Amino acid sequence: MVTGYLFRKFVLSAAFLLALILSAAAAPLQLVTLQYPPYEYQDGDKVDGIVVRLLHHAFEQLGRNIEITVLPWKRAQLMAKKGQVDGIFTVYETPERLKYLDYSKKVLIPQTVSLWALRETEVAYDGTMDSLADVSIGLVLGVSYGEKADRALKSGALKHLEYAPDSAQNIKKLLAGRTSVVIMNRYGALHHLHLQDGFERVKELTPEISSVPSYVAFSKVRNHTALRDQFDQVLETMIASGDYARIIDDYFAEKSAKTEF
């Protein structure tokens, strides 16, 4: 009797545990991000963007659904740190974040920072920040532009800085001729130039200032290292097959075809 009872109890417990595991696997992964067009952003009741589309495609290949929530960046980071969500993107790698995040080993998307000027504006830029010492430069207050630019800003080497509250205003000032150049993330610049019908009026200066890799990272509290490795394999396949580039190209083609973009 006792043996039969224990056996039945074991079977029920095992079945319950299996049900929990299957339920957890079936539940959508909860990912958080920030409002950062065109990479990721809230558009009405929909979350869209280049990286959002890349992630949906990747996780579809893994047979996993994802739910993405756009939050203030500090809150998103805290939720990932506490394990209240499964992952976070697009996130730079720092020693502090490595303590609580399992980063994808493959770069999710590089964030290239470059200079933009009106086509008729002559800028004696030779690839060094010193060559911009006497040029009026548009920036967004509180934004990091990578180590090279940030170091020049901190040192005072750049003497004519024009700060704006956001990227949209930064581009508006450039198109109005109120600043000679702006420093901006490449895809972000393309996004706002299309919105303000200014793409044909500007040029991107070369060489680029920097290219900072950004990643999707999973909360260590959730123990998603196996999922992280599977994601890396899928992302590598997407890049090799051309799906990665196609998704980005399709995004801009779709947005450019709409009058509101």
Side-chain angles (χ1 to χ4, degrees):
M1 287 287 291
V2 174
T3 302
Y5 168 76
L6 291 175
F7 178 75
R8 288 194 301 274
K9 186 175 181 181
F10 171 78
V11 171
L12 288 172
S13 298
F16 179 70
L17 180 59
L18 179 61
L20 285 178
I21 293 172
L22 292 174
S23 175
L29 292 165
Q30 301 296 321
L31 304 180
V32 289
T33 187
L34 73 164
Q35 186 78 2
Y36 190 36
Y39 298 92
E40 53 262 348
Y41 56 92
Q42 187 86 34
D43 183 13
D45 59 356
K46 179 184 178 184
V47 178
D48 198 7
I50 297 169
V51 178
V52 169
R53 296 187 185 190
L54 290 171
L55 289 176
H56 274 295
H57 183 85
F59 282 105
E60 281 174 8
Q61 309 311 301
L62 292 172
R64 298 297 301 269
N65 292 322
I66 58 174
E67 290 182 355
I68 298 172
T69 304
V70 175
L71 296 170
W73 190 230
K74 285 187 178 180
R75 182 181 170 192
Q77 291 178 76
L78 183 61
M79 291 180 73
K81 184 175 184 178
K82 291 183 175 181
Q84 295 172 338
V85 292
D86 294 288
I88 184 171
F89 69 96
T90 46
V91 61
Y92 297 158
E93 185 177 296
T94 69
E96 175 60 29
R97 292 171 184 168
L98 283 169
K99 296 175 184 177
Y100 60 88
L101 292 175
D102 281 322
Y103 281 80
S104 58
K105 290 183 172 61
K106 296 291 294 182
V107 175
L108 179 56
I109 196 163
Q111 298 195 21
T112 300
V113 175
S114 54
L115 287 162
W116 300 79
L118 293 175
R119 289 187 180 275
E120 63 269 21
T121 301
E122 294 297 326
V123 181
Y125 172 59
D126 61 8
T128 67
M129 300 308 293
D130 287 342
S131 63
L132 299 170
D134 296 316
V135 177
S136 63
I137 302 172
L139 304 160
V140 176
L141 191 63
V143 169
S144 170
Y145 294 96
E147 183 180 351
K148 180 179 177 180
D150 289 352
R151 186 169 59 247
L153 290 168
K154 186 176 181 180
S155 72
L158 306 178
K159 302 172 185 176
H160 305 285
L161 305 178
E162 301 285 340
Y163 285 99
D166 54 46
S167 295
Q169 289 296 316
N170 206 18
I171 289 294
K172 187 175 183 179
K173 289 172 66 175
L174 176 67
L175 295 175
R178 292 166 55 195
T179 186
S180 297
V181 301
V182 297
I183 302 178
M184 192 171 290
N185 177 293
R186 179 178 291 155
Y187 284 139
L190 291 174
H191 173 83
H192 290 289
L193 286 166
H194 277 293
L195 280 175
Q196 299 186 40
D197 196 27
F199 179 71
E200 298 298 330
R201 296 180 54 201
V202 304
K203 58 187 176 183
E204 182 181 16
L205 306 184
T206 56
E208 64 194 36
I209 293 176
S210 63
S211 184
V212 183
S214 63
Y215 304 84
V216 62
F218 300 91
S219 174
K220 286 188 174 181
V221 176
R222 297 289 183 105
N223 193 23
H224 281 317
T225 51
L227 178 64
R228 185 272 314 275
D229 293 342
Q230 293 169 358
F231 174 84
D232 278 333
Q233 292 174 2
V234 168
L235 184 58
E236 187 171 6
T237 300
M238 286 170 58
I239 294 170
S241 69
D243 283 346
Y244 182 97
R246 176 186 57 77
I247 290 169
I248 295 175
D249 290 343
D250 286 352
Y251 173 87
F252 279 109
E254 175 189 319
K255 297 300 182 182
S256 295
K258 294 183 178 180
T259 56
E260 70 270 20
F261 187 77

